[in-house]
Amino acid sequence: MARMSAPDSAPSAPTPATPFERIGGEPRIRQLVDRFYDLMDLEPGYAELRASHGTTLDDARDKLFWFLCGWLGGPDHYQSRFGHPRLRARHMPFSIGILERDQWVACMDQAMGEVDVPDDLRARLNESFMGTADWMRNRGG
């Protein structure tokens, strides 16, 4: 009996199913969040956004990391600690206008570029971030 030959090309690895997996899991999300807040501290173009965060960013770093892990399809660290995110309600104490919205989205886009989030995923996330950030606005300007 003749032996079957192997196919010329091996099957490609399956594409990761979630944005969480595509980004690279918790270590890469931590890297993204840390770069986002580092940029907020370093770049003058994000001054108003930075001013809205108080004196330290440590608490915000952890909360955004925990939230993004679950939102991107990974472990629900945020919900296990705090329950439903209630994003708009939790952000009501902060003055969020068009400037803060735009700076948040620009800062996150820059961070995603610097940590090499794949371009197609980066575009999808930017669209989602802009929609959410616009929904979070609680003042006109």
Side-chain angles (χ1 to χ4, degrees):
M1 187 169 231
R3 191 171 178 178
M4 296 194 65
S5 62
D8 289 337
S9 62
S12 61
T15 303
T18 65
F20 177 83
E21 293 167 329
R22 287 197 62 206
I23 283 177
E26 290 186 21
R28 290 293 306 280
I29 293 172
R30 175 54 78 180
Q31 182 184 15
L32 172 63
V33 168
D34 285 344
R35 188 62 190 148
F36 171 75
Y37 284 109
D38 289 348
L39 288 168
M40 197 185 297
D41 257 344
L42 296 169
E43 297 287 338
Y46 307 132
E48 291 80 6
L49 177 64
R50 176 61 185 92
S52 71
H53 280 77
T55 57
T56 180
L57 296 173
D58 295 339
D59 191 46
R61 283 176 193 265
D62 287 339
K63 286 181 177 176
L64 183 58
F65 167 73
W66 294 328
F67 173 78
L68 286 180
C69 282
W71 185 73
L72 292 169
D76 266 334
H77 298 308
Y78 187 93
Q79 285 197 23
S80 70
R81 287 170 171 82
F82 306 107
H84 190 280
R86 302 181 311 124
L87 289 179
R88 188 159 165 79
R90 292 184 197 269
H91 285 81
M92 275 303 198
F94 307 101
S95 180
I96 303 170
I98 292 169
L99 181 63
E100 292 81 8
R101 175 201 68 190
D102 290 351
Q103 286 183 10
W104 195 100
V105 173
C107 188
M108 181 56 76
D109 180 59
Q110 184 177 345
M112 287 192 294
E114 291 185 16
V115 301
D116 297 321
V117 171
D119 289 340
D120 63 320
L121 180 57
R122 181 178 170 189
R124 280 183 36 218
L125 292 176
N126 269 327
E127 191 175 313
S128 293
F129 287 142
M130 178 54 89
T132 301
D134 192 53
W135 178 70
M136 304 284 274
R137 285 180 36 224
N138 54 29
R139 66 179 172 79

